[in-house]
Amino acid sequence: MSGEPRDVYYNDPYHDDHRGLAFFAANSSTLTDSNLQGLDPSYMSFAECLHGSEYNTLARAFGLTPSSASPAHSSVKDEQRAVGDNGETPVTPNSSAFSSSTEAGDDEESDNIKKEKQSIAVSEDGGESSKKVKGKKKGEKTQREPRFAFMTKSEVDHLEDGYRWRKYGQKAVKNSPYPRSYYRCTTQKCTVKKRVERSFQDPSIVITTYEGQHNHYLPATLRGNVAGMFPAAMMTPAQMTGPSFPQELLVQMAPFYNHSGGGTATTNSTSSIYQQTSLTPFQQLQLPDYGLLQDMVPPTFFKREP
DNA sequence: CGATTTTGACCCGCGC
DNA sequence: GCGCGGGTCAAAATCG
C-alpha cells in the first residue's frame, strides 16, 4: 500500500452503526510491577497513570467543554472512514464526533438468543459437520454494542483492566504483521468483548477496543488491584449507560508521539491533523462530559513528558 | 482437572 | 454471484 496511514487506528466498516469510539493514547506499560522493571523510566504503568493526581489536567486535556464540541459533527461513519482508509482522508482538527444512537443497547440479550438459535440451526446438520459454525437467524440485523478504544503504549498486548477475559479468537490484521485478539468477559452473562491489536505503524502502541458494558462489578479478587484505578469499572450498568459515559463518545486523536519530536512521527496528511494548532492531540479531544471520565482515568494516564 | 489459549473452519456483510 | 475481510465457534492443546 502506498502512503503511511500513521493515524489509522481503527477501520471498522463492518460496524457502521457503532455507538462510539474513543481513542486514548497512553504512555503506559502494564499494570504488573514485574513488567515495569525493565521499562523506560519515562513510561508509566497503568497503575501509575491511573493513580495520577492531575485530574483537572485531564479535563483540560480533553477540551471537555460541551460547548466547544466540534462544529463539524460528521457522522460516525464518516469519521471511521476518515481514519480508516489508509489515512488518505484528512480529518478535521476537531474531529470528535458523538453518536447519539443507543439502539444497540438491546443487543446484549439478543446476542445470547442468537446463540441459541444458532445452536438449533447447526443441530439439523445431521451431525456430519458438527464443527460448522452456526449461522444467524435470517433477517436478523447485526447490531453492535457501544464501543470505545484505548491506544496504549505498552509492551504487552493484553493490558490488565480489572476484568477477567477469555480469548476466543485471533485474526491476522490486514496490512499489519500483528494479529488482533478477541476477548470476552468471563463473567457469566456478561457479553462485553474486547479486541486487542497492535498498531503496525508504531508497534509500541496497543489498541484495545471494548464493546458492550459490563453488567457486573469487578471480580472481587481483582478489586484490590485495579478497582481504585478504574472507578468507572465499578459503576453499575445503570450508571454506565448515562450519556456521559465514554462509550457514547467518539473521539479520534493522533498519537502523542507526533508531538514529541519522536523519530517515528511522520507529517503526512493524517498525522498532521492535530498540528494546525498548538494544542496537543489530547487537548483537542472533546468529550461532552468529563465528570465520569475524570473518575475513570486520570490525565497522567495519557501523557507524560520525558 | 478445570480454565484458558490456540487455531482452523465457518459465517456474515459488503464491495465489486 | 463472488471474493475479501472481520468476527466467532469449538475441538484440541496447553496451562496452573
Side-chain angles (χ1 to χ4, degrees), chain A residues 14-15 17 19 104 107 136 142-146 193 211:
Chain A
Y14 186 70
H15 304 302
D17 63 332
R19 242 63 47 189
D107 199 43
K136 287 196 182 90
T142 301
Q143 293 199 337
R144 293 289 156 173
E145 302 285 344
K193 299 169 196 168
E211 179 175 329

Side-chain angles (χ1 to χ4, degrees), chain A residues 158-159 161 165 181-183 193-196 208-210:
Chain A
H158 194 189
L159 299 167
D161 59 6
W165 302 91
S181 296
Y182 298 89
Y183 297 88
K193 299 169 196 168
K194 77 172 179 181
R195 286 173 292 183
V196 177
T208 304
T209 304
Y210 291 86

Side-chain angles (χ1 to χ4, degrees), chain A residues 65-170:
Chain A
T65 309
S67 60
S68 70
S70 170
H73 286 288
S74 56
S75 72
V76 172
K77 189 173 185 174
D78 290 340
E79 292 294 342
Q80 283 301 104
R81 295 237 168 87
V83 296
D85 287 347
N86 300 326
E88 290 169 5
T89 307
V91 290
T92 60
N94 289 327
S95 56
S96 305
F98 309 107
S99 169
S100 58
S101 171
T102 56
E103 60 192 71
D106 303 328
D107 199 43
E108 275 172 67
E109 187 173 3
S110 64
D111 195 50
N112 290 332
I113 293 172
K114 270 183 270 183
K115 287 180 182 176
E116 296 292 333
K117 290 173 180 173
Q118 289 170 351
S119 297
I120 293 170
V122 75
S123 64
E124 65 186 13
D125 200 80
E128 188 64 43
S129 52
S130 59
K131 195 180 179 183
K132 190 170 274 183
V133 175
K134 318 83 152 179
K136 287 196 182 90
K137 184 182 178 182
K138 212 167 187 178
E140 204 163 341
K141 192 174 167 185
T142 301
Q143 293 199 337
R144 293 289 156 173
E145 302 285 344
R147 293 177 296 154
F148 69 97
F150 288 91
M151 294 195 310
T152 306
K153 193 149 192 168
S154 172
E155 294 190 350
V156 298
D157 290 343
H158 194 189
L159 299 167
E160 184 60 67
D161 59 6
Y163 289 96
R164 299 203 53 180
W165 302 91
R166 176 175 301 170
K167 189 174 185 177
Y168 67 89
Q170 177 171 306

Side-chain angles (χ1 to χ4, degrees), chain A residues 216-273:
Chain A
H216 57 94
Y217 295 107
L218 282 173
T221 55
L222 291 170
R223 285 189 173 206
N225 292 331
V226 286
M229 301 183 296
F230 279 92
M234 300 297 288
M235 290 190 292
T236 66
Q239 286 174 308
M240 294 170 71
T241 54
S244 56
F245 190 68
Q247 289 183 359
E248 296 299 325
L249 309 176
L250 182 144
V251 180
Q252 295 171 158
M253 61 185 298
F256 62 85
Y257 48 78
N258 277 352
H259 295 260
S260 64
T264 59
T266 62
T267 53
N268 65 20
S269 59
T270 52
S271 66
S272 60
I273 61 174

